[in-house]
Amino acid sequence: MSGFSEYDMYLFGNGRHYEIYKKLGAHYDERDGASGVRFSVWAPHAHRVWVIGEFTDWQAQDEYAMQRLEPLGIYELFVPGRVNGEMYKYLIETQDGRRIYKADPYASYAELRPGTSSKIFDSSSYKWKDTKWMNKRKKIDSSKDIPMAIYEVHPASWKRHFTTDEGIEGMYTYRELAQSLCEYIKEMGYTHVELMGISEYPFDGSWGYQVTGYYAPTSRYGTPEDFKYFVDTMHKNNIGVILDWVPAHFPKDEAGLREFDGEPLYEYPDPRMGEHPDWGTKIFNYGKNEVCNFLIGSALNWIEEFHVDGLRVDAVASMLYLDYGKKDGGWIANKYGGNENLEAVEFFRHLNTLVLGRNPGTFMIAEESTAWPKITGEAADGGLNFSYKWNMGWMHDFLDYMKLDPIMRKGSHNKMTFGMSYNESEDYILVLSHDEVVHLKCSMLNKMPGFKTDKFRNLKAGYAFMLGHPGKKLLFMGQEFGQEREWAEERELDWYLLDDPEHADLRLFVKGLLGIYKKYPCLYTNERKWDAFEWINANDADRSIFSFVRKSPTGKKNLLFVVNFTPVERNDYRVGVPKKGKYKLIYTQDMQLNELLIESKDYTFEAELSECDGRDYSIAYPLTGYGVAVFHYN
């Protein structure tokens, strides 16, 4: 009896088998009273296929030849007596007589690199303890009025052991990360962790963005069950988990997906469609149902089987544009003569509508670097139905401004205000990600102009501006305490810097910002609407000062932000305010002062009937150089 029914064939052939990972791959089964593993692989161009492994001495043996199932070219074999952790591959004989060795595309676990074998593994018996979180997740309001402060982490370089342990090269395991990372995120006040490069990949230097195992948590940090424990622990501590996911391309490694059964199968056959010349990788064939099903199944596997809360989809622009990274003559136009990949567009609409529809409260995030319209628009309205889009335009403008000497900033004042001109177009996440602190781009701290103290005060001002600006937030690990060296995947962050008072103070400043963010709903509700944001003065270029308010839908717990991007002190700075009443200073650049502000009434200012910034009422107070002032008002 086959484990792959005619109905399974029908669904897979139409790209609608949403639990395909339970059919293809290696799964425990029982046949004629014997327990074992059923292996299934899609290889329609193959002439013959064998399962090989430790149990066959890695040789093709007749009893391990797989049976071909038509009409899709699925190969299947039941092997009795197999156990967790045993390695295997598929030996594929091609139509022209070559023999190639391939890892299982649907494997749930893989051999630690540099090995390339798949491993039998069943983690279905894991007992989840995150019922409370999962029930709460289902009830999240679709309006997206939730706080989302994301800590982006590369697990291998967040922290490392000083001694190598059992061949893991000092890397923390999933279970160790579950404890130490969870404790740190809770202390800081982030709401979510985003993990780079969890799907199995062969080369450390790719950071996990050239994937060979789309269903397997990388074995660098442990087993699939260990990864479930990581997610479980985060959820029990009210921390959401986001994974980076890469459906844009895959590497050419011999054991991987490239020409999987001797011919292009997962990739477009024409290199003008199927090659990324800049990256040296293959592009998935989004016009083939089974390939789209493979990718959709991967996304659902992470969310439904591993309880992940969201996927950040990498390199979306490279999927949407047929000419992305290609020269004239090196790409093929669509049927209308345009450069849009219509098949990828339909893939995204199918993927996002399905994932979000089946899993209320989860989210799909697009890393999309162009002005493609309606990334977060509904599919029915011509959109791609992502939940959020990384705001790459804001990020570039923000960093261009922050890197300037303060005396030059007045000439680029509009870079800090331009983001609000298009804020209504998408649901955004403001990002300062890993990509901005590698490849000679400097760390966030060292992008800042001036001497050491100036750098810290500049960065504090920038982070405060980011907090007040509409959009969810993402900050890459280490930038919260002023990592000085560029990030490198082979070493841990420079945690020793926290022995320096200025680095420790910056970390506490960021922690305070995150506390304000979660305390005041005006910072995360109604973010696309102008009635939730108002410039007080967006045009004070000569002094490089920005002032604006974030308004709550209830009219209570509103915030006024004033940020000074020069070292010039304004001892009696006057700022217009929306209405008369009391304005309590609740946060500044200085941590010692912030402690005094918690209960003090000395820092409450009564609005005066004195015109400023086009407002009838205003307040005056001392604004320090690179000063940050956040006021609460009702």
Side-chain angles (χ1 to χ4, degrees), residues 253-269:
D253 293 62
E254 287 298 323
L257 299 177
R258 180 178 68 92
E259 296 185 356
F260 183 79
D261 55 4
E263 298 180 30
L265 182 64
Y266 286 89
E267 67 267 45
Y268 285 106

PDB file of all heavy atoms in Angstrom, residues 253-269:
ATOM      1  N   ASP A 253      24.901  23.808  -4.911  1.00  0.00           N
ATOM      2  CA  ASP A 253      25.588  22.687  -4.277  1.00  0.00           C
ATOM      3  C   ASP A 253      25.124  21.360  -4.869  1.00  0.00           C
ATOM      4  O   ASP A 253      23.928  21.149  -5.108  1.00  0.00           O
ATOM      5  CB  ASP A 253      25.337  22.702  -2.774  1.00  0.00           C
ATOM      6  CG  ASP A 253      25.983  23.910  -2.113  1.00  0.00           C
ATOM      7  OD1 ASP A 253      25.586  25.031  -2.462  1.00  0.00           O
ATOM      8  OD2 ASP A 253      26.862  23.724  -1.258  1.00  0.00           O
ATOM      9  N   GLU A 254      26.053  20.439  -5.056  1.00  0.00           N
ATOM     10  CA  GLU A 254      25.763  19.171  -5.737  1.00  0.00           C
ATOM     11  C   GLU A 254      24.656  18.382  -5.052  1.00  0.00           C
ATOM     12  O   GLU A 254      23.841  17.742  -5.712  1.00  0.00           O
ATOM     13  CB  GLU A 254      27.042  18.321  -5.808  1.00  0.00           C
ATOM     14  CG  GLU A 254      28.076  18.813  -6.802  1.00  0.00           C
ATOM     15  CD  GLU A 254      27.564  18.804  -8.234  1.00  0.00           C
ATOM     16  OE1 GLU A 254      26.809  17.874  -8.591  1.00  0.00           O
ATOM     17  OE2 GLU A 254      27.913  19.713  -8.990  1.00  0.00           O
ATOM     18  N   ALA A 255      24.610  18.401  -3.733  1.00  0.00           N
ATOM     19  CA  ALA A 255      23.610  17.600  -3.018  1.00  0.00           C
ATOM     20  C   ALA A 255      22.273  18.299  -2.911  1.00  0.00           C
ATOM     21  O   ALA A 255      21.317  17.723  -2.396  1.00  0.00           O
ATOM     22  CB  ALA A 255      24.125  17.262  -1.617  1.00  0.00           C
ATOM     23  N   GLY A 256      22.182  19.524  -3.412  1.00  0.00           N
ATOM     24  CA  GLY A 256      20.981  20.322  -3.239  1.00  0.00           C
ATOM     25  C   GLY A 256      19.978  20.188  -4.372  1.00  0.00           C
ATOM     26  O   GLY A 256      19.912  19.172  -5.067  1.00  0.00           O
ATOM     27  N   LEU A 257      19.213  21.250  -4.601  1.00  0.00           N
ATOM     28  CA  LEU A 257      18.074  21.205  -5.524  1.00  0.00           C
ATOM     29  C   LEU A 257      18.460  21.379  -6.984  1.00  0.00           C
ATOM     30  O   LEU A 257      17.653  21.063  -7.870  1.00  0.00           O
ATOM     31  CB  LEU A 257      17.057  22.291  -5.139  1.00  0.00           C
ATOM     32  CG  LEU A 257      16.438  22.192  -3.738  1.00  0.00           C
ATOM     33  CD1 LEU A 257      15.517  23.389  -3.490  1.00  0.00           C
ATOM     34  CD2 LEU A 257      15.664  20.892  -3.593  1.00  0.00           C
ATOM     35  N   ARG A 258      19.632  21.879  -7.272  1.00  0.00           N
ATOM     36  CA  ARG A 258      20.006  22.144  -8.665  1.00  0.00           C
ATOM     37  C   ARG A 258      19.947  20.863  -9.494  1.00  0.00           C
ATOM     38  O   ARG A 258      20.548  19.856  -9.146  1.00  0.00           O
ATOM     39  CB  ARG A 258      21.418  22.726  -8.730  1.00  0.00           C
ATOM     40  CG  ARG A 258      21.881  23.032 -10.159  1.00  0.00           C
ATOM     41  CD  ARG A 258      23.267  23.652 -10.161  1.00  0.00           C
ATOM     42  NE  ARG A 258      24.269  22.698  -9.728  1.00  0.00           N
ATOM     43  CZ  ARG A 258      24.958  21.899 -10.547  1.00  0.00           C
ATOM     44  NH1 ARG A 258      24.711  21.919 -11.855  1.00  0.00           N
ATOM     45  NH2 ARG A 258      25.868  21.072 -10.076  1.00  0.00           N
ATOM     46  N   GLU A 259      19.198  20.923 -10.613  1.00  0.00           N
ATOM     47  CA  GLU A 259      19.035  19.768 -11.508  1.00  0.00           C
ATOM     48  C   GLU A 259      18.850  18.504 -10.679  1.00  0.00           C
ATOM     49  O   GLU A 259      19.582  17.517 -10.834  1.00  0.00           O
ATOM     50  CB  GLU A 259      20.225  19.654 -12.473  1.00  0.00           C
ATOM     51  CG  GLU A 259      20.326  20.839 -13.416  1.00  0.00           C
ATOM     52  CD  GLU A 259      21.415  20.702 -14.462  1.00  0.00           C
ATOM     53  OE1 GLU A 259      22.162  19.700 -14.416  1.00  0.00           O
ATOM     54  OE2 GLU A 259      21.524  21.586 -15.328  1.00  0.00           O
ATOM     55  N   PHE A 260      17.832  18.534  -9.846  1.00  0.00           N
ATOM     56  CA  PHE A 260      17.679  17.528  -8.811  1.00  0.00           C
ATOM     57  C   PHE A 260      17.606  16.112  -9.356  1.00  0.00           C
ATOM     58  O   PHE A 260      18.192  15.183  -8.800  1.00  0.00           O
ATOM     59  CB  PHE A 260      16.431  17.819  -7.976  1.00  0.00           C
ATOM     60  CG  PHE A 260      16.237  16.860  -6.847  1.00  0.00           C
ATOM     61  CD1 PHE A 260      16.964  16.986  -5.683  1.00  0.00           C
ATOM     62  CD2 PHE A 260      15.337  15.809  -6.951  1.00  0.00           C
ATOM     63  CE1 PHE A 260      16.814  16.080  -4.636  1.00  0.00           C
ATOM     64  CE2 PHE A 260      15.171  14.891  -5.918  1.00  0.00           C
ATOM     65  CZ  PHE A 260      15.907  15.033  -4.750  1.00  0.00           C
ATOM     66  N   ASP A 261      16.892  15.903 -10.443  1.00  0.00           N
ATOM     67  CA  ASP A 261      16.768  14.555 -11.004  1.00  0.00           C
ATOM     68  C   ASP A 261      17.483  14.444 -12.348  1.00  0.00           C
ATOM     69  O   ASP A 261      17.107  13.645 -13.201  1.00  0.00           O
ATOM     70  CB  ASP A 261      15.299  14.157 -11.137  1.00  0.00           C
ATOM     71  CG  ASP A 261      14.483  15.146 -11.946  1.00  0.00           C
ATOM     72  OD1 ASP A 261      15.069  16.124 -12.479  1.00  0.00           O
ATOM     73  OD2 ASP A 261      13.252  14.971 -12.045  1.00  0.00           O
ATOM     74  N   GLY A 262      18.533  15.249 -12.497  1.00  0.00           N
ATOM     75  CA  GLY A 262      19.323  15.217 -13.722  1.00  0.00           C
ATOM     76  C   GLY A 262      18.952  16.303 -14.689  1.00  0.00           C
ATOM     77  O   GLY A 262      19.684  16.550 -15.662  1.00  0.00           O
ATOM     78  N   GLU A 263      17.830  16.957 -14.462  1.00  0.00           N
ATOM     79  CA  GLU A 263      17.367  18.058 -15.299  1.00  0.00           C
ATOM     80  C   GLU A 263      16.822  19.150 -14.386  1.00  0.00           C
ATOM     81  O   GLU A 263      16.539  18.902 -13.205  1.00  0.00           O
ATOM     82  CB  GLU A 263      16.261  17.577 -16.255  1.00  0.00           C
ATOM     83  CG  GLU A 263      16.698  16.497 -17.232  1.00  0.00           C
ATOM     84  CD  GLU A 263      15.569  16.070 -18.153  1.00  0.00           C
ATOM     85  OE1 GLU A 263      14.697  16.919 -18.446  1.00  0.00           O
ATOM     86  OE2 GLU A 263      15.549  14.891 -18.555  1.00  0.00           O
ATOM     87  N   PRO A 264      16.670  20.382 -14.912  1.00  0.00           N
ATOM     88  CA  PRO A 264      16.056  21.425 -14.085  1.00  0.00           C
ATOM     89  C   PRO A 264      14.677  20.977 -13.606  1.00  0.00           C
ATOM     90  O   PRO A 264      13.828  20.597 -14.412  1.00  0.00           O
ATOM     91  CB  PRO A 264      15.953  22.616 -15.043  1.00  0.00           C
ATOM     92  CG  PRO A 264      17.058  22.400 -16.028  1.00  0.00           C
ATOM     93  CD  PRO A 264      17.108  20.905 -16.221  1.00  0.00           C
ATOM     94  N   LEU A 265      14.479  20.997 -12.304  1.00  0.00           N
ATOM     95  CA  LEU A 265      13.216  20.564 -11.721  1.00  0.00           C
ATOM     96  C   LEU A 265      12.627  21.667 -10.853  1.00  0.00           C
ATOM     97  O   LEU A 265      11.490  22.082 -11.056  1.00  0.00           O
ATOM     98  CB  LEU A 265      13.427  19.298 -10.890  1.00  0.00           C
ATOM     99  CG  LEU A 265      12.165  18.699 -10.265  1.00  0.00           C
ATOM    100  CD1 LEU A 265      11.208  18.221 -11.353  1.00  0.00           C
ATOM    101  CD2 LEU A 265      12.515  17.557  -9.317  1.00  0.00           C
ATOM    102  N   TYR A 266      13.417  22.143  -9.897  1.00  0.00           N
ATOM    103  CA  TYR A 266      12.947  23.218  -9.021  1.00  0.00           C
ATOM    104  C   TYR A 266      13.211  24.606  -9.623  1.00  0.00           C
ATOM    105  O   TYR A 266      12.556  25.570  -9.268  1.00  0.00           O
ATOM    106  CB  TYR A 266      13.634  23.110  -7.647  1.00  0.00           C
ATOM    107  CG  TYR A 266      13.099  21.972  -6.817  1.00  0.00           C
ATOM    108  CD1 TYR A 266      13.647  20.695  -6.910  1.00  0.00           C
ATOM    109  CD2 TYR A 266      12.027  22.156  -5.949  1.00  0.00           C
ATOM    110  CE1 TYR A 266      13.148  19.636  -6.157  1.00  0.00           C
ATOM    111  CE2 TYR A 266      11.528  21.113  -5.189  1.00  0.00           C
ATOM    112  CZ  TYR A 266      12.093  19.851  -5.297  1.00  0.00           C
ATOM    113  OH  TYR A 266      11.589  18.807  -4.549  1.00  0.00           O
ATOM    114  N   GLU A 267      14.176  24.687 -10.548  1.00  0.00           N
ATOM    115  CA  GLU A 267      14.531  25.968 -11.148  1.00  0.00           C
ATOM    116  C   GLU A 267      13.914  26.106 -12.538  1.00  0.00           C
ATOM    117  O   GLU A 267      13.514  25.115 -13.171  1.00  0.00           O
ATOM    118  CB  GLU A 267      16.051  26.106 -11.252  1.00  0.00           C
ATOM    119  CG  GLU A 267      16.716  25.136 -12.219  1.00  0.00           C
ATOM    120  CD  GLU A 267      17.201  23.872 -11.532  1.00  0.00           C
ATOM    121  OE1 GLU A 267      16.445  23.301 -10.714  1.00  0.00           O
ATOM    122  OE2 GLU A 267      18.323  23.419 -11.837  1.00  0.00           O
ATOM    123  N   TYR A 268      13.823  27.356 -13.037  1.00  0.00           N
ATOM    124  CA  TYR A 268      13.448  27.579 -14.427  1.00  0.00           C
ATOM    125  C   TYR A 268      14.511  26.959 -15.333  1.00  0.00           C
ATOM    126  O   TYR A 268      15.714  27.117 -15.084  1.00  0.00           O
ATOM    127  CB  TYR A 268      13.373  29.076 -14.733  1.00  0.00           C
ATOM    128  CG  TYR A 268      12.163  29.793 -14.184  1.00  0.00           C
ATOM    129  CD1 TYR A 268      12.271  30.635 -13.086  1.00  0.00           C
ATOM    130  CD2 TYR A 268      10.907  29.669 -14.790  1.00  0.00           C
ATOM    131  CE1 TYR A 268      11.171  31.326 -12.593  1.00  0.00           C
ATOM    132  CE2 TYR A 268       9.799  30.349 -14.313  1.00  0.00           C
ATOM    133  CZ  TYR A 268       9.933  31.177 -13.210  1.00  0.00           C
ATOM    134  OH  TYR A 268       8.840  31.865 -12.728  1.00  0.00           O
ATOM    135  N   PRO A 269      14.124  26.260 -16.381  1.00  0.00           N
ATOM    136  CA  PRO A 269      15.127  25.608 -17.248  1.00  0.00           C
ATOM    137  C   PRO A 269      15.957  26.589 -18.063  1.00  0.00           C
ATOM    138  O   PRO A 269      17.133  26.326 -18.327  1.00  0.00           O
ATOM    139  CB  PRO A 269      14.280  24.707 -18.151  1.00  0.00           C
ATOM    140  CG  PRO A 269      12.893  25.266 -18.102  1.00  0.00           C
ATOM    141  CD  PRO A 269      12.741  25.887 -16.758  1.00  0.00           C
TER     142      PRO A 269
END
